[in-house]
Amino acid sequence: MASFFVKEEKFNRSGKRSSIREDLSQAVHNRTFITLLLLVGLSTFSVMILEPLLTIYMTELGGEQSDASLQAGIVFSAVGIATLIAAPQWGKIGQRIGFIKVLVIGLAGGGIGNLLQYFVGHYTEFGALRFVYGLFFAGVYPALNAMIVRVTEPEFRGRAFSLSQSSTQLATMLGPVLGGLLSGWIPIRWVFVLNGLMLLCSAFLLFRKRHLDHPEPILAGGGRKMTVFLHILVNNVLPISILIALGIVLQRSFKLDIRTLSKLNFYLFSPAIMFKLLYNTAISLTLFGTVMAFFALFMLLQYALVSAVVRLRGYEPSMRSAMQCSVLFYNSANYGIPLNQLAFHNNPYTLSVQVLIMMMQSLIPNTYGVYSVNAHKSDWRQIRRVILSMPVIYVIPVALLMRYLTVPLPDSVVTSVDYLSNAFIGTALITLGVQLGSMAWRISRKLLSDIGLSLALRLAAGPLLAWGTCEAIGAHGLLASALIVSSAVPTSLSSVLLAVEFDNEPEFASQTVFASTAVSTVTVAAVIAMLGV
């Protein structure tokens, strides 16, 4: 058919042929085109990540096991049928209102459609929702192809679409693999949630650059925000996930003693990293006072909000303290510090802000956190004895005093502290993986709603309360941005360590840390985009 019916005009057979390396080099210099390639891959990935899960999910929704493959095929094809119907219409709409708007609508509709698939209770509802999702998602590929045409030169256009196809095939390969891996770690419903949040984040970042229907300036700014999202994903979430996965594998293979791991973190590695950061960071008294004022008011507002929520929910004392810990204690160290360095380009001033927040986020779990998880089952004397045994409450004043008095440390002590502090992040994440590996992952709908509530309070309400706190104390500019970003990070590993050490809702704590870390790839990127840092 191509030989007889496809005619190509003005084809220069004698033109110079480029190599793959030259094509890639030319593509890299067009940031808009690179961003579009990322969106092509992301869109394909969001479809293919679900492919290996549909058959299993159909049986979970009440489908007959003997017909599960057929039902899954029908549901998967529902998106194709919807695309066949809607794609031509989206092309016409794009010519009227602009393809960037169509792309935003398609990604947002796809994201919402994925989130809604979490709530379906029967396979017929699932099939109908997939069809509606396809009607919106059908606008994505026509818009992307039209935008690729707009931002590439005519002589490069054929190679541009070849690279687009390569991006599609790479995502087609990676999607099912990662989907299969995720379904072994978390319930399938949560894969839909993560997929939906990924698409919504992409739509939000594009919406902020909705003037992109003009050639080349197009996604330069939006590309940076997408780069922030990808940087967080690759340099924060992926390494964290790898270590958590190692912990799961070790637990399934050898049945490790998790209490020993938690004690190593509480009594050795955590104090070491706290001492190292406070001793090596220059902090002015003015900045110290401002950050302490922010932290006190911010924590008070968070505490008031989460206390009101747990009362309305009627939680038992153990679950009440677990929910409070999941919201009040956030990952200001191994997540917050790299994020601060990324968002503010290694600014020493904003790093000082983050170190102070980290100091307080280390102190509070070792004092109030210990009290909270034990208050419903121990008397005050016993709780006080446990709190006073926590090394961090002594390490913080000692480190600050030695920094103020410029007391030098022997090289042997510096080396020892370095070794211990470097072990903190790895051991804490392995501990989380061990806890996750010891669970059966049969989660009730109530527990899922509790986890979702914790994520909303930590990742959405947290930055909003931080913004309000900055307005209240008169913090503006770079200081306010650093404080708000510091509040946007996921739940701290401290909540898991407390839950494991004192046997207080360890299943909820572990799954909340894992889920909030994954979802934060979207929410943190959104916060950075809104701040414009």
Side-chain angles (χ1 to χ4, degrees), residues 30-49:
N30 186 339
R31 295 181 62 187
T32 300
F33 176 59
I34 289 295
T35 303
L36 291 174
L37 285 184
L38 290 173
L39 287 172
V40 168
L42 182 144
S43 301
T44 305
F45 178 84
S46 73
V47 175
M48 299 308 298
I49 193 175

PDB file of all heavy atoms in Angstrom, residues 30-49:
ATOM      1  N   ASN A  30      17.720  21.389  21.475  1.00  0.00           N
ATOM      2  CA  ASN A  30      16.352  21.901  21.408  1.00  0.00           C
ATOM      3  C   ASN A  30      15.609  21.421  22.661  1.00  0.00           C
ATOM      4  O   ASN A  30      15.036  20.337  22.689  1.00  0.00           O
ATOM      5  CB  ASN A  30      15.656  21.383  20.134  1.00  0.00           C
ATOM      6  CG  ASN A  30      14.286  22.005  19.925  1.00  0.00           C
ATOM      7  OD1 ASN A  30      13.669  22.512  20.860  1.00  0.00           O
ATOM      8  ND2 ASN A  30      13.803  21.965  18.695  1.00  0.00           N
ATOM      9  N   ARG A  31      15.638  22.236  23.719  1.00  0.00           N
ATOM     10  CA  ARG A  31      15.084  21.815  25.011  1.00  0.00           C
ATOM     11  C   ARG A  31      13.588  21.545  24.912  1.00  0.00           C
ATOM     12  O   ARG A  31      13.049  20.680  25.604  1.00  0.00           O
ATOM     13  CB  ARG A  31      15.360  22.878  26.068  1.00  0.00           C
ATOM     14  CG  ARG A  31      16.847  23.061  26.359  1.00  0.00           C
ATOM     15  CD  ARG A  31      17.065  24.099  27.428  1.00  0.00           C
ATOM     16  NE  ARG A  31      16.456  23.718  28.683  1.00  0.00           N
ATOM     17  CZ  ARG A  31      16.390  24.511  29.743  1.00  0.00           C
ATOM     18  NH1 ARG A  31      16.888  25.725  29.679  1.00  0.00           N
ATOM     19  NH2 ARG A  31      15.821  24.099  30.865  1.00  0.00           N
ATOM     20  N   THR A  32      12.909  22.308  24.064  1.00  0.00           N
ATOM     21  CA  THR A  32      11.476  22.088  23.886  1.00  0.00           C
ATOM     22  C   THR A  32      11.210  20.692  23.332  1.00  0.00           C
ATOM     23  O   THR A  32      10.338  19.964  23.816  1.00  0.00           O
ATOM     24  CB  THR A  32      10.900  23.141  22.932  1.00  0.00           C
ATOM     25  OG1 THR A  32      11.128  24.424  23.491  1.00  0.00           O
ATOM     26  CG2 THR A  32       9.410  22.944  22.732  1.00  0.00           C
ATOM     27  N   PHE A  33      11.985  20.317  22.313  1.00  0.00           N
ATOM     28  CA  PHE A  33      11.802  19.000  21.700  1.00  0.00           C
ATOM     29  C   PHE A  33      12.117  17.889  22.691  1.00  0.00           C
ATOM     30  O   PHE A  33      11.408  16.876  22.751  1.00  0.00           O
ATOM     31  CB  PHE A  33      12.691  18.894  20.458  1.00  0.00           C
ATOM     32  CG  PHE A  33      12.658  17.543  19.803  1.00  0.00           C
ATOM     33  CD1 PHE A  33      11.471  17.007  19.335  1.00  0.00           C
ATOM     34  CD2 PHE A  33      13.817  16.789  19.665  1.00  0.00           C
ATOM     35  CE1 PHE A  33      11.431  15.767  18.729  1.00  0.00           C
ATOM     36  CE2 PHE A  33      13.791  15.553  19.063  1.00  0.00           C
ATOM     37  CZ  PHE A  33      12.591  15.036  18.597  1.00  0.00           C
ATOM     38  N   ILE A  34      13.165  18.067  23.484  1.00  0.00           N
ATOM     39  CA  ILE A  34      13.516  17.058  24.492  1.00  0.00           C
ATOM     40  C   ILE A  34      12.378  16.881  25.496  1.00  0.00           C
ATOM     41  O   ILE A  34      12.032  15.755  25.893  1.00  0.00           O
ATOM     42  CB  ILE A  34      14.819  17.449  25.217  1.00  0.00           C
ATOM     43  CG1 ILE A  34      16.019  17.286  24.275  1.00  0.00           C
ATOM     44  CG2 ILE A  34      15.021  16.628  26.486  1.00  0.00           C
ATOM     45  CD1 ILE A  34      16.278  15.847  23.848  1.00  0.00           C
ATOM     46  N   THR A  35      11.776  17.995  25.911  1.00  0.00           N
ATOM     47  CA  THR A  35      10.659  17.907  26.849  1.00  0.00           C
ATOM     48  C   THR A  35       9.490  17.167  26.228  1.00  0.00           C
ATOM     49  O   THR A  35       8.821  16.358  26.891  1.00  0.00           O
ATOM     50  CB  THR A  35      10.220  19.317  27.286  1.00  0.00           C
ATOM     51  OG1 THR A  35      11.340  19.990  27.849  1.00  0.00           O
ATOM     52  CG2 THR A  35       9.112  19.237  28.318  1.00  0.00           C
ATOM     53  N   LEU A  36       9.232  17.434  24.934  1.00  0.00           N
ATOM     54  CA  LEU A  36       8.163  16.714  24.245  1.00  0.00           C
ATOM     55  C   LEU A  36       8.464  15.224  24.149  1.00  0.00           C
ATOM     56  O   LEU A  36       7.563  14.385  24.285  1.00  0.00           O
ATOM     57  CB  LEU A  36       7.950  17.309  22.855  1.00  0.00           C
ATOM     58  CG  LEU A  36       7.357  18.720  22.818  1.00  0.00           C
ATOM     59  CD1 LEU A  36       7.338  19.256  21.402  1.00  0.00           C
ATOM     60  CD2 LEU A  36       5.963  18.752  23.421  1.00  0.00           C
ATOM     61  N   LEU A  37       9.735  14.877  23.928  1.00  0.00           N
ATOM     62  CA  LEU A  37      10.104  13.452  23.913  1.00  0.00           C
ATOM     63  C   LEU A  37       9.823  12.805  25.271  1.00  0.00           C
ATOM     64  O   LEU A  37       9.344  11.665  25.341  1.00  0.00           O
ATOM     65  CB  LEU A  37      11.585  13.295  23.564  1.00  0.00           C
ATOM     66  CG  LEU A  37      12.012  13.497  22.109  1.00  0.00           C
ATOM     67  CD1 LEU A  37      13.495  13.217  21.949  1.00  0.00           C
ATOM     68  CD2 LEU A  37      11.208  12.603  21.174  1.00  0.00           C
ATOM     69  N   LEU A  38      10.142  13.527  26.356  1.00  0.00           N
ATOM     70  CA  LEU A  38       9.858  13.013  27.693  1.00  0.00           C
ATOM     71  C   LEU A  38       8.362  12.796  27.892  1.00  0.00           C
ATOM     72  O   LEU A  38       7.929  11.797  28.477  1.00  0.00           O
ATOM     73  CB  LEU A  38      10.400  13.967  28.754  1.00  0.00           C
ATOM     74  CG  LEU A  38      11.921  14.055  28.883  1.00  0.00           C
ATOM     75  CD1 LEU A  38      12.303  15.166  29.857  1.00  0.00           C
ATOM     76  CD2 LEU A  38      12.501  12.725  29.344  1.00  0.00           C
ATOM     77  N   LEU A  39       7.558  13.736  27.380  1.00  0.00           N
ATOM     78  CA  LEU A  39       6.111  13.595  27.512  1.00  0.00           C
ATOM     79  C   LEU A  39       5.575  12.446  26.670  1.00  0.00           C
ATOM     80  O   LEU A  39       4.642  11.744  27.082  1.00  0.00           O
ATOM     81  CB  LEU A  39       5.427  14.905  27.109  1.00  0.00           C
ATOM     82  CG  LEU A  39       5.557  16.048  28.111  1.00  0.00           C
ATOM     83  CD1 LEU A  39       5.022  17.344  27.525  1.00  0.00           C
ATOM     84  CD2 LEU A  39       4.828  15.715  29.405  1.00  0.00           C
ATOM     85  N   VAL A  40       6.163  12.234  25.490  1.00  0.00           N
ATOM     86  CA  VAL A  40       5.774  11.081  24.662  1.00  0.00           C
ATOM     87  C   VAL A  40       6.045   9.786  25.433  1.00  0.00           C
ATOM     88  O   VAL A  40       5.186   8.893  25.517  1.00  0.00           O
ATOM     89  CB  VAL A  40       6.535  11.084  23.324  1.00  0.00           C
ATOM     90  CG1 VAL A  40       6.359   9.747  22.597  1.00  0.00           C
ATOM     91  CG2 VAL A  40       6.056  12.225  22.438  1.00  0.00           C
ATOM     92  N   GLY A  41       7.253   9.678  26.006  1.00  0.00           N
ATOM     93  CA  GLY A  41       7.598   8.486  26.768  1.00  0.00           C
ATOM     94  C   GLY A  41       6.731   8.327  27.998  1.00  0.00           C
ATOM     95  O   GLY A  41       6.253   7.227  28.310  1.00  0.00           O
ATOM     96  N   LEU A  42       6.488   9.425  28.718  1.00  0.00           N
ATOM     97  CA  LEU A  42       5.669   9.361  29.930  1.00  0.00           C
ATOM     98  C   LEU A  42       4.248   8.918  29.607  1.00  0.00           C
ATOM     99  O   LEU A  42       3.657   8.114  30.337  1.00  0.00           O
ATOM    100  CB  LEU A  42       5.666  10.730  30.606  1.00  0.00           C
ATOM    101  CG  LEU A  42       4.906  10.866  31.920  1.00  0.00           C
ATOM    102  CD1 LEU A  42       5.642  11.818  32.861  1.00  0.00           C
ATOM    103  CD2 LEU A  42       3.496  11.391  31.686  1.00  0.00           C
ATOM    104  N   SER A  43       3.676   9.435  28.510  1.00  0.00           N
ATOM    105  CA  SER A  43       2.309   9.069  28.139  1.00  0.00           C
ATOM    106  C   SER A  43       2.212   7.582  27.806  1.00  0.00           C
ATOM    107  O   SER A  43       1.276   6.900  28.244  1.00  0.00           O
ATOM    108  CB  SER A  43       1.864   9.910  26.942  1.00  0.00           C
ATOM    109  OG  SER A  43       1.927  11.289  27.236  1.00  0.00           O
ATOM    110  N   THR A  44       3.173   7.093  27.035  1.00  0.00           N
ATOM    111  CA  THR A  44       3.177   5.660  26.714  1.00  0.00           C
ATOM    112  C   THR A  44       3.411   4.819  27.956  1.00  0.00           C
ATOM    113  O   THR A  44       2.758   3.782  28.157  1.00  0.00           O
ATOM    114  CB  THR A  44       4.267   5.361  25.670  1.00  0.00           C
ATOM    115  OG1 THR A  44       4.075   6.190  24.527  1.00  0.00           O
ATOM    116  CG2 THR A  44       4.243   3.899  25.253  1.00  0.00           C
ATOM    117  N   PHE A  45       4.322   5.273  28.802  1.00  0.00           N
ATOM    118  CA  PHE A  45       4.620   4.558  30.045  1.00  0.00           C
ATOM    119  C   PHE A  45       3.369   4.436  30.911  1.00  0.00           C
ATOM    120  O   PHE A  45       3.110   3.389  31.512  1.00  0.00           O
ATOM    121  CB  PHE A  45       5.720   5.307  30.791  1.00  0.00           C
ATOM    122  CG  PHE A  45       6.099   4.706  32.111  1.00  0.00           C
ATOM    123  CD1 PHE A  45       7.009   3.667  32.177  1.00  0.00           C
ATOM    124  CD2 PHE A  45       5.549   5.180  33.287  1.00  0.00           C
ATOM    125  CE1 PHE A  45       7.364   3.106  33.391  1.00  0.00           C
ATOM    126  CE2 PHE A  45       5.887   4.636  34.505  1.00  0.00           C
ATOM    127  CZ  PHE A  45       6.805   3.591  34.562  1.00  0.00           C
ATOM    128  N   SER A  46       2.574   5.512  30.984  1.00  0.00           N
ATOM    129  CA  SER A  46       1.382   5.500  31.844  1.00  0.00           C
ATOM    130  C   SER A  46       0.355   4.486  31.369  1.00  0.00           C
ATOM    131  O   SER A  46      -0.443   3.985  32.166  1.00  0.00           O
ATOM    132  CB  SER A  46       0.750   6.896  31.890  1.00  0.00           C
ATOM    133  OG  SER A  46       0.108   7.206  30.676  1.00  0.00           O
ATOM    134  N   VAL A  47       0.354   4.184  30.056  1.00  0.00           N
ATOM    135  CA  VAL A  47      -0.553   3.166  29.526  1.00  0.00           C
ATOM    136  C   VAL A  47       0.013   1.767  29.756  1.00  0.00           C
ATOM    137  O   VAL A  47      -0.682   0.861  30.231  1.00  0.00           O
ATOM    138  CB  VAL A  47      -0.805   3.401  28.024  1.00  0.00           C
ATOM    139  CG1 VAL A  47      -1.646   2.265  27.433  1.00  0.00           C
ATOM    140  CG2 VAL A  47      -1.496   4.740  27.802  1.00  0.00           C
ATOM    141  N   MET A  48       1.302   1.584  29.461  1.00  0.00           N
ATOM    142  CA  MET A  48       1.896   0.251  29.481  1.00  0.00           C
ATOM    143  C   MET A  48       2.164  -0.270  30.882  1.00  0.00           C
ATOM    144  O   MET A  48       2.262  -1.481  31.078  1.00  0.00           O
ATOM    145  CB  MET A  48       3.192   0.254  28.668  1.00  0.00           C
ATOM    146  CG  MET A  48       3.015   0.619  27.197  1.00  0.00           C
ATOM    147  SD  MET A  48       1.735  -0.368  26.360  1.00  0.00           S
ATOM    148  CE  MET A  48       2.419  -2.010  26.524  1.00  0.00           C
ATOM    149  N   ILE A  49       2.295   0.618  31.864  1.00  0.00           N
ATOM    150  CA  ILE A  49       2.559   0.150  33.225  1.00  0.00           C
ATOM    151  C   ILE A  49       1.391  -0.675  33.764  1.00  0.00           C
ATOM    152  O   ILE A  49       1.553  -1.512  34.647  1.00  0.00           O
ATOM    153  CB  ILE A  49       2.847   1.353  34.159  1.00  0.00           C
ATOM    154  CG1 ILE A  49       3.423   0.862  35.488  1.00  0.00           C
ATOM    155  CG2 ILE A  49       1.594   2.186  34.404  1.00  0.00           C
ATOM    156  CD1 ILE A  49       3.847   1.995  36.399  1.00  0.00           C
TER     157      ILE A  49
END
